[in-house]
Amino acid sequence: MTGKRLLDDCFLHDKDRLRHQDALDLLKDRVSTLVEVETIPLSEASERVLAQTVTAPRNVPLADNSAVDGYAFRHSDFDEAGGFFRMDQRVAAGHASQTDLAPWGAARIFTGAVMPPGADTVAMQEDCEAHQQDGQDFVIVPQGLKKGANCRLAGEDVAEGTPILEAGQRLRPQDVAAIASTGLGEISVYRKLKVGLLSTGDELRRPGSLITLGDVYDSNYFLLQGLCATLPVDVEDLGILKDDAALVEATLKEAAGRFDILLTSGGASRGEEDHLLAALDTLGSRHMWQLAIKPGRPMMFGSIGDCVFLGLPGNPVAAMVCFLLYVRPVLSVLGGGPFLPPRGFQVPAAFEVPKKKPDRREFYRAYLEEGPDGALVAQKFMRDGSGLITGLREADGLIEIPEDVTSITKGDLVTYLPFSGFGLR
C-alpha cells in the first residue's frame, strides 16, 4: 500500500533559510513510499528493497549435520579415556543414511553430511587413529570430546517460522544468501524509482565535445548518475537544459508525466537566467528552498503533479553534499526503504577555523589520518570552494559543524561523516 508522494501544502522559505535538522525533519514528514510491489527471481534481488517480511519456511540447516570431516558416534558410548569404535557406515554430503548407528559403532562422515540416526557427536579425522583387526575397521577417538562436538543442529542458523528480513530492508549479498538458504526462489520487492536527470545552463557541454571560452564541461551529470547508482533507481539522461524560461517550463511539464523523480542541478537560485524555481512554482508546489548550510544553500524540493522534484545547486561540491544529506534519504523512502539521515562519529580536529559564521551548518570535505599519538584525527581539505572537485576526490568524508559553533581549534571534537556511511567507496 503506497501513500501520497508529497503532502499538498506548500512550505516556503524565501526569506528565512531553513536549518539543516529542520530540513531533514520536513523531508522525512513529507515523503512516503510511492512505488508498486513486484515479484522477482532471487538472482535479481541484490540491492533491491524488500517489500514483504521474509520468514523461514523450514529449518536452516534442515537436519543435524557434521561441521567437519571425521567420525560420528554416540556420545553415550564414550568415556573420558576415549573410545574404540567399530566402523559401521560411510556418510557423504547429499547422501543421508537411514540406518541407525549401533552401540559402539562409528560412521565415517564428511562436512555437511547429515548425522546418521543415533549419532550426536563428531570427532575430527586428524584427531583420530584408524585401525583394522580381523578384517574389521575400527577408529580410536581421543578423550575429552563433549557431547554435540562438531555437530551443527537442525535450525541452528534459522529456525522454521523465524522472520529473517523485514520489509523495507535493502538487500545485501549476504541477505540474499540468507533467503536462498531457506529455499525461496522468488521474493517481493519494490519497483525501482524512475529518475529523470537534468543538467541546466547555456554554458554546459558534455565531455567529448569542443568547448570555447566561457563553456564548462558538465561534470554534475556524471557525479549524480554515479550517486544514484548507489540506490535502487533507474536513471534516464534528459540532457542539458538551456536557460530559456519557456523551454524549462515545457521540459519539466513533459518530464513530470514520465518519471517518479526529476533531479536537476543548477538554475536553483534567483538569477535572471535561473528559471527552475519559477517553473516549479508555476507547474506545481515548492516545499523547500534556501537552506542555512554551506555548501548547498539553494536546494529545491517540491512536486509537479505526482512527480517529486529535487533541484540541486550547480556547483559540484554543493550538489554532492546536498545529494548525500537530503536526496539520498528521500529516494530511499520513496523507493520503499527507511529514511537515511547522515550518521557520523566524533574525532578530534587536526585543523583550525578561527572564525565561522553562526546560524549556519557547514560541511567540510575531509579525511582521517593518524595523529601524533597514533589515534585517528579529522583533517580538513585546505580549500573550501564549492566548485573544486579535487576536494571531493581527495576526501573520504565530511566534517559537520553545527550552527552554534563559531570557531574550531585543534583537538576539538568534531562530527565526521564517512562517505562509506552514504554507500560510497
Side-chain angles (χ1 to χ4, degrees):
M1 185 69 178
T2 59
K4 290 184 178 180
R5 303 189 178 201
L6 298 176
L7 298 185
D8 294 330
D9 59 325
C10 191
F11 200 98
L12 301 178
H13 290 276
D14 288 26
K15 297 180 181 178
D16 300 323
R17 292 171 188 158
L18 195 63
R19 289 195 169 201
H20 170 67
Q21 188 56 53
D22 293 331
L24 289 176
D25 292 342
L26 184 150
L27 292 170
K28 188 174 183 179
D29 183 62
R30 299 295 173 94
V31 295
S32 60
T33 301
L34 63 87
V35 288
E36 307 84 13
V37 174
E38 61 184 10
T39 300
I40 62 170
L42 198 58
S43 58
E44 301 173 7
S46 185
E47 301 303 331
R48 297 296 296 272
V49 178
L50 193 62
Q52 295 179 350
T53 297
V54 174
T55 300
R58 55 186 60 84
N59 285 332
V60 181
L62 191 60
D64 296 353
N65 66 91
S66 178
V68 298
D69 292 344
Y71 300 90
F73 59 94
R74 307 160 68 103
H75 195 270
S76 59
D77 296 336
F78 189 63
D79 57 42
E80 292 184 358
F84 194 78
F85 290 90
R86 180 184 63 256
M87 292 293 300
D88 283 350
Q89 300 184 34
R90 183 181 186 277
V91 188
H95 301 277
S97 171
Q98 304 298 323
T99 304
D100 286 356
L101 196 63
W104 292 102
R108 179 72 169 108
I109 197 166
F110 299 91
T111 303
V114 174
M115 296 285 286
D120 55 20
T121 306
V122 178
M124 297 178 66
Q125 63 181 14
E126 53 265 41
D127 295 333
C128 298
E129 185 178 346
H131 283 274
Q132 191 176 62
Q133 182 176 326
D134 299 330
Q136 174 66 53
D137 290 325
F138 292 87
V139 61
I140 298 175
V141 175
Q143 63 181 5
L145 279 178
K146 295 181 179 180
K147 183 178 181 180
N150 301 312
C151 178
R152 295 182 291 217
L153 301 179
E156 180 180 293
D157 189 10
V158 180
E160 179 180 348
T162 301
I164 57 175
L165 291 163
E166 299 293 333
Q169 288 186 244
R170 189 172 173 196
L171 297 174
R172 304 166 298 171
Q174 56 266 45
D175 299 324
V176 178
I179 297 172
S181 74
T182 72
L184 295 174
E186 295 182 332
I187 56 169
S188 295
V189 297
Y190 289 105
R191 172 180 64 79
K192 289 185 178 183
L193 289 166
K194 297 176 182 177
V195 177
L197 185 53
L198 265 169
S199 300
T200 66
D202 285 348
E203 74 281 11
L204 293 182
R205 300 291 183 270
R206 284 291 168 85
S209 63
L210 295 177
I211 61 172
T212 58
L213 188 64
D215 294 339
V216 177
Y217 282 123
D218 179 16
S219 59
N220 278 359
Y221 168 76
F222 299 93
L223 172 67
L224 297 176
Q225 180 195 45
L227 292 172
C228 283
T230 66
L231 295 163
V233 303
D234 287 326
V235 175
E236 183 174 326
D237 180 11
L238 300 184
I240 297 172
L241 190 56
K242 296 296 183 181
D243 292 324
D244 178 276
L247 177 62
V248 169
E249 185 173 324
T251 300
L252 294 188
K253 183 177 180 180
E254 186 277 333
R258 297 192 293 120
F259 293 95
D260 302 311
I261 312 288
L262 281 181
L263 179 60
T264 67
S265 64
S269 298
R270 281 275 194 206
E272 291 182 7
E273 297 299 329
D274 294 329
H275 303 296
L276 283 177
L277 192 69
L280 175 60
D281 289 345
T282 298
L283 296 172
S285 299
R286 177 163 36 114
H287 300 255
M288 188 176 80
W289 184 59
Q290 290 290 336
L291 305 182
I293 69 167
K294 180 184 179 182
R297 186 176 67 194
M299 160 78 198
M300 289 189 291
F301 165 61
S303 58
I304 302 174
D306 287 334
C307 179
V308 176
F309 181 88
L310 294 160
L312 298 175
N315 284 320
V317 177
M320 180 166 172
V321 168
C322 284
F323 184 98
L324 297 179
L325 298 179
Y326 309 117
V327 175
R328 183 172 179 266
V330 166
L331 294 184
S332 178
V333 172
L334 294 174
F339 194 80
L340 300 172
R343 299 193 183 281
F345 52 89
Q346 295 213 307
V347 290
F351 60 93
E352 293 187 352
V353 177
K355 187 175 181 180
K356 171 194 164 288
K357 184 177 179 180
D359 302 319
R360 180 175 71 188
R361 189 160 301 207
E362 298 190 359
F363 296 89
Y364 305 142
R365 285 149 284 172
Y367 51 91
L368 296 179
E369 62 182 14
E370 285 191 7
D373 61 355
L376 289 178
V377 295
Q379 184 60 266
K380 175 181 174 294
F381 183 66
M382 66 181 70
R383 294 177 291 167
D384 293 326
S386 61
L388 302 175
I389 300 176
T390 301
L392 293 177
R393 182 172 54 81
E394 294 187 1
D396 55 24
L398 300 172
I399 294 169
E400 179 179 357
I401 307 300
E403 292 84 355
D404 58 351
V405 174
T406 57
S407 65
I408 301 170
T409 59
K410 288 184 179 181
D412 287 350
L413 289 178
V414 294
T415 299
Y416 186 77
L417 308 173
F419 283 155
S420 60
F422 296 104
L424 304 178
R425 289 189 293 111

